[in-house]
PDB file of all heavy atoms in Angstrom:
ATOM      1  N   THR A 789       0.841  -1.196   0.000  1.00 95.00           N
ATOM      2  CA  THR A 789       0.000   0.000   0.000  1.00 95.00           C
ATOM      3  C   THR A 789       0.874   1.242   0.000  1.00 95.00           C
ATOM      4  O   THR A 789       2.095   1.171   0.158  1.00 95.00           O
ATOM      5  CB  THR A 789      -0.909   0.042   1.245  1.00 95.00           C
ATOM      6  OG1 THR A 789      -0.137   0.467   2.376  1.00 95.00           O
ATOM      7  CG2 THR A 789      -1.518  -1.320   1.554  1.00 95.00           C
ATOM      8  N   ALA A 790       0.243   2.388  -0.127  1.00 87.00           N
ATOM      9  CA  ALA A 790       0.962   3.667  -0.081  1.00 87.00           C
ATOM     10  C   ALA A 790       1.569   3.908   1.299  1.00 87.00           C
ATOM     11  O   ALA A 790       2.506   4.691   1.436  1.00 87.00           O
ATOM     12  CB  ALA A 790       0.010   4.795  -0.453  1.00 87.00           C
ATOM     13  N   ARG A 791       1.040   3.245   2.307  1.00 90.00           N
ATOM     14  CA  ARG A 791       1.536   3.428   3.674  1.00 90.00           C
ATOM     15  C   ARG A 791       2.659   2.475   4.036  1.00 90.00           C
ATOM     16  O   ARG A 791       3.228   2.567   5.110  1.00 90.00           O
ATOM     17  CB  ARG A 791       0.401   3.214   4.673  1.00 90.00           C
ATOM     18  CG  ARG A 791      -0.628   4.301   4.658  1.00 90.00           C
ATOM     19  CD  ARG A 791      -1.649   4.099   5.747  1.00 90.00           C
ATOM     20  NE  ARG A 791      -2.783   4.976   5.501  1.00 90.00           N
ATOM     21  CZ  ARG A 791      -3.947   4.851   6.078  1.00 90.00           C
ATOM     22  NH1 ARG A 791      -4.146   3.884   6.955  1.00 90.00           N
ATOM     23  NH2 ARG A 791      -4.912   5.694   5.800  1.00 90.00           N
ATOM     24  N   GLY A 792       2.898   1.514   3.170  1.00 94.00           N
ATOM     25  CA  GLY A 792       3.902   0.511   3.469  1.00 94.00           C
ATOM     26  C   GLY A 792       3.401  -0.874   3.113  1.00 94.00           C
ATOM     27  O   GLY A 792       2.359  -1.032   2.466  1.00 94.00           O
ATOM     28  N   VAL A 793       4.147  -1.875   3.543  1.00 97.00           N
ATOM     29  CA  VAL A 793       3.810  -3.264   3.236  1.00 97.00           C
ATOM     30  C   VAL A 793       3.279  -3.926   4.505  1.00 97.00           C
ATOM     31  O   VAL A 793       3.872  -3.823   5.575  1.00 97.00           O
ATOM     32  CB  VAL A 793       5.044  -4.030   2.714  1.00 97.00           C
ATOM     33  CG1 VAL A 793       4.687  -5.494   2.462  1.00 97.00           C
ATOM     34  CG2 VAL A 793       5.566  -3.373   1.436  1.00 97.00           C
ATOM     35  N   TYR A 794       2.134  -4.601   4.362  1.00 97.00           N
ATOM     36  CA  TYR A 794       1.575  -5.373   5.463  1.00 97.00           C
ATOM     37  C   TYR A 794       1.693  -6.848   5.103  1.00 97.00           C
ATOM     38  O   TYR A 794       1.342  -7.253   3.982  1.00 97.00           O
ATOM     39  CB  TYR A 794       0.108  -5.006   5.677  1.00 97.00           C
ATOM     40  CG  TYR A 794      -0.089  -3.559   6.054  1.00 97.00           C
ATOM     41  CD1 TYR A 794      -0.498  -2.633   5.100  1.00 97.00           C
ATOM     42  CD2 TYR A 794       0.132  -3.120   7.352  1.00 97.00           C
ATOM     43  CE1 TYR A 794      -0.679  -1.297   5.432  1.00 97.00           C
ATOM     44  CE2 TYR A 794      -0.050  -1.782   7.698  1.00 97.00           C
ATOM     45  CZ  TYR A 794      -0.455  -0.881   6.737  1.00 97.00           C
ATOM     46  OH  TYR A 794      -0.630   0.432   7.070  1.00 97.00           O
ATOM     47  N   SER A 795       2.192  -7.646   6.033  1.00 97.00           N
ATOM     48  CA  SER A 795       2.369  -9.069   5.743  1.00 97.00           C
ATOM     49  C   SER A 795       1.635  -9.909   6.771  1.00 97.00           C
ATOM     50  O   SER A 795       1.446  -9.498   7.928  1.00 97.00           O
ATOM     51  CB  SER A 795       3.858  -9.431   5.730  1.00 97.00           C
ATOM     52  OG  SER A 795       4.395  -9.408   7.036  1.00 97.00           O
ATOM     53  N   ALA A 796       1.196 -11.102   6.348  1.00 98.00           N
ATOM     54  CA  ALA A 796       0.499 -12.035   7.234  1.00 98.00           C
ATOM     55  C   ALA A 796       0.452 -13.406   6.582  1.00 98.00           C
ATOM     56  O   ALA A 796       0.558 -13.533   5.355  1.00 98.00           O
ATOM     57  CB  ALA A 796      -0.921 -11.549   7.517  1.00 98.00           C
ATOM     58  N   ALA A 797       0.279 -14.423   7.410  1.00 97.00           N
ATOM     59  CA  ALA A 797       0.169 -15.790   6.894  1.00 97.00           C
ATOM     60  C   ALA A 797      -1.186 -16.033   6.256  1.00 97.00           C
ATOM     61  O   ALA A 797      -1.330 -16.908   5.395  1.00 97.00           O
ATOM     62  CB  ALA A 797       0.399 -16.795   8.030  1.00 97.00           C
ATOM     63  N   SER A 798      -2.226 -15.270   6.688  1.00 98.00           N
ATOM     64  CA  SER A 798      -3.577 -15.432   6.149  1.00 98.00           C
ATOM     65  C   SER A 798      -4.115 -14.095   5.657  1.00 98.00           C
ATOM     66  O   SER A 798      -3.866 -13.050   6.264  1.00 98.00           O
ATOM     67  CB  SER A 798      -4.531 -15.976   7.220  1.00 98.00           C
ATOM     68  OG  SER A 798      -4.138 -17.266   7.639  1.00 98.00           O
ATOM     69  N   ILE A 799      -4.846 -14.170   4.572  1.00 98.00           N
ATOM     70  CA  ILE A 799      -5.466 -12.966   4.024  1.00 98.00           C
ATOM     71  C   ILE A 799      -6.916 -13.299   3.670  1.00 98.00           C
ATOM     72  O   ILE A 799      -7.197 -14.350   3.096  1.00 98.00           O
ATOM     73  CB  ILE A 799      -4.672 -12.458   2.798  1.00 98.00           C
ATOM     74  CG1 ILE A 799      -5.173 -11.103   2.342  1.00 98.00           C
ATOM     75  CG2 ILE A 799      -4.699 -13.433   1.659  1.00 98.00           C
ATOM     76  CD1 ILE A 799      -4.262 -10.447   1.321  1.00 98.00           C
ATOM     77  N   VAL A 800      -7.825 -12.420   4.063  1.00 98.00           N
ATOM     78  CA  VAL A 800      -9.256 -12.624   3.828  1.00 98.00           C
ATOM     79  C   VAL A 800      -9.765 -11.529   2.903  1.00 98.00           C
ATOM     80  O   VAL A 800      -9.647 -10.334   3.220  1.00 98.00           O
ATOM     81  CB  VAL A 800     -10.052 -12.595   5.148  1.00 98.00           C
ATOM     82  CG1 VAL A 800     -11.536 -12.868   4.873  1.00 98.00           C
ATOM     83  CG2 VAL A 800      -9.496 -13.604   6.142  1.00 98.00           C
ATOM     84  N   VAL A 801     -10.308 -11.925   1.776  1.00 98.00           N
ATOM     85  CA  VAL A 801     -10.820 -10.963   0.796  1.00 98.00           C
ATOM     86  C   VAL A 801     -12.308 -10.746   1.072  1.00 98.00           C
ATOM     87  O   VAL A 801     -13.134 -11.640   0.882  1.00 98.00           O
ATOM     88  CB  VAL A 801     -10.595 -11.455  -0.642  1.00 98.00           C
ATOM     89  CG1 VAL A 801     -11.109 -10.417  -1.649  1.00 98.00           C
ATOM     90  CG2 VAL A 801      -9.112 -11.734  -0.877  1.00 98.00           C
ATOM     91  N   ALA A 802     -12.633  -9.553   1.567  1.00 98.00           N
ATOM     92  CA  ALA A 802     -14.013  -9.196   1.904  1.00 98.00           C
ATOM     93  C   ALA A 802     -14.353  -7.867   1.239  1.00 98.00           C
ATOM     94  O   ALA A 802     -14.914  -6.960   1.856  1.00 98.00           O
ATOM     95  CB  ALA A 802     -14.165  -9.102   3.420  1.00 98.00           C
ATOM     96  N   THR A 803     -13.988  -7.764  -0.031  1.00 97.00           N
ATOM     97  CA  THR A 803     -14.041  -6.485  -0.746  1.00 97.00           C
ATOM     98  C   THR A 803     -15.385  -6.198  -1.400  1.00 97.00           C
ATOM     99  O   THR A 803     -15.556  -5.157  -2.031  1.00 97.00           O
ATOM    100  CB  THR A 803     -12.945  -6.457  -1.836  1.00 97.00           C
ATOM    101  OG1 THR A 803     -13.037  -7.673  -2.593  1.00 97.00           O
ATOM    102  CG2 THR A 803     -11.570  -6.362  -1.206  1.00 97.00           C
ATOM    103  N   GLY A 804     -16.343  -7.134  -1.263  1.00 96.00           N
ATOM    104  CA  GLY A 804     -17.669  -6.887  -1.816  1.00 96.00           C
ATOM    105  C   GLY A 804     -17.727  -7.037  -3.322  1.00 96.00           C
ATOM    106  O   GLY A 804     -16.790  -7.518  -3.964  1.00 96.00           O
ATOM    107  N   GLY A 805     -18.864  -6.606  -3.876  1.00 95.00           N
ATOM    108  CA  GLY A 805     -19.074  -6.728  -5.314  1.00 95.00           C
ATOM    109  C   GLY A 805     -18.998  -5.378  -6.007  1.00 95.00           C
ATOM    110  O   GLY A 805     -18.304  -4.463  -5.557  1.00 95.00           O
ATOM    111  N   LEU A 806     -19.753  -5.254  -7.097  1.00 93.00           N
ATOM    112  CA  LEU A 806     -19.700  -4.058  -7.933  1.00 93.00           C
ATOM    113  C   LEU A 806     -20.855  -3.096  -7.667  1.00 93.00           C
ATOM    114  O   LEU A 806     -20.914  -2.025  -8.264  1.00 93.00           O
ATOM    115  CB  LEU A 806     -19.718  -4.462  -9.409  1.00 93.00           C
ATOM    116  CG  LEU A 806     -18.528  -5.318  -9.866  1.00 93.00           C
ATOM    117  CD1 LEU A 806     -18.790  -5.880 -11.260  1.00 93.00           C
ATOM    118  CD2 LEU A 806     -17.247  -4.512  -9.843  1.00 93.00           C
ATOM    119  N   SER A 807     -21.781  -3.483  -6.773  1.00 93.00           N
ATOM    120  CA  SER A 807     -22.969  -2.668  -6.574  1.00 93.00           C
ATOM    121  C   SER A 807     -22.669  -1.381  -5.817  1.00 93.00           C
ATOM    122  O   SER A 807     -21.866  -1.364  -4.891  1.00 93.00           O
ATOM    123  CB  SER A 807     -24.049  -3.477  -5.847  1.00 93.00           C
ATOM    124  OG  SER A 807     -23.496  -4.213  -4.788  1.00 93.00           O
ATOM    125  N   ILE A 808     -23.342  -0.314  -6.252  1.00 89.00           N
ATOM    126  CA  ILE A 808     -23.219   1.038  -5.709  1.00 89.00           C
ATOM    127  C   ILE A 808     -21.765   1.535  -5.737  1.00 89.00           C
ATOM    128  O   ILE A 808     -21.139   1.744  -4.697  1.00 89.00           O
ATOM    129  CB  ILE A 808     -23.814   1.151  -4.286  1.00 89.00           C
ATOM    130  CG1 ILE A 808     -25.124   0.357  -4.188  1.00 89.00           C
ATOM    131  CG2 ILE A 808     -24.059   2.631  -3.944  1.00 89.00           C
ATOM    132  CD1 ILE A 808     -25.852   0.512  -2.878  1.00 89.00           C
ATOM    133  N   PRO A 809     -21.218   1.745  -6.934  1.00 88.00           N
ATOM    134  CA  PRO A 809     -19.835   2.221  -7.046  1.00 88.00           C
ATOM    135  C   PRO A 809     -19.610   3.580  -6.388  1.00 88.00           C
ATOM    136  O   PRO A 809     -18.486   3.896  -5.982  1.00 88.00           O
ATOM    137  CB  PRO A 809     -19.603   2.294  -8.564  1.00 88.00           C
ATOM    138  CG  PRO A 809     -20.950   2.256  -9.184  1.00 88.00           C
ATOM    139  CD  PRO A 809     -21.834   1.507  -8.251  1.00 88.00           C
ATOM    140  N   SER A 810     -20.681   4.374  -6.225  1.00 84.00           N
ATOM    141  CA  SER A 810     -20.516   5.680  -5.584  1.00 84.00           C
ATOM    142  C   SER A 810     -20.091   5.537  -4.128  1.00 84.00           C
ATOM    143  O   SER A 810     -19.581   6.488  -3.525  1.00 84.00           O
ATOM    144  CB  SER A 810     -21.832   6.473  -5.646  1.00 84.00           C
ATOM    145  OG  SER A 810     -22.854   5.797  -4.929  1.00 84.00           O
ATOM    146  N   MET A 811     -20.280   4.331  -3.556  1.00 84.00           N
ATOM    147  CA  MET A 811     -19.849   4.092  -2.178  1.00 84.00           C
ATOM    148  C   MET A 811     -18.515   3.366  -2.125  1.00 84.00           C
ATOM    149  O   MET A 811     -18.110   2.864  -1.080  1.00 84.00           O
ATOM    150  CB  MET A 811     -20.924   3.298  -1.434  1.00 84.00           C
ATOM    151  CG  MET A 811     -22.256   4.007  -1.433  1.00 84.00           C
ATOM    152  SD  MET A 811     -23.407   3.305  -0.266  1.00 84.00           S
ATOM    153  CE  MET A 811     -22.791   4.020   1.239  1.00 84.00           C
ATOM    154  N   GLY A 812     -17.853   3.272  -3.270  1.00 85.00           N
ATOM    155  CA  GLY A 812     -16.504   2.724  -3.280  1.00 85.00           C
ATOM    156  C   GLY A 812     -16.370   1.307  -3.806  1.00 85.00           C
ATOM    157  O   GLY A 812     -15.280   0.736  -3.749  1.00 85.00           O
TER     158      GLY A 812
END
């Protein structure tokens, strides 16, 4: 990321779908 590197043994993708792009 722009703030640096984050590392971990596990990563969980909870980024959602494409609905309501105005909310990110």
Side-chain angles (χ1 to χ4, degrees):
T789 78
R791 290 185 193 165
V793 177
Y794 298 101
S795 71
S798 297
I799 188 169
V800 182
V801 181
T803 49
L806 298 169
S807 44
I808 319 186
S810 62
M811 302 194 78

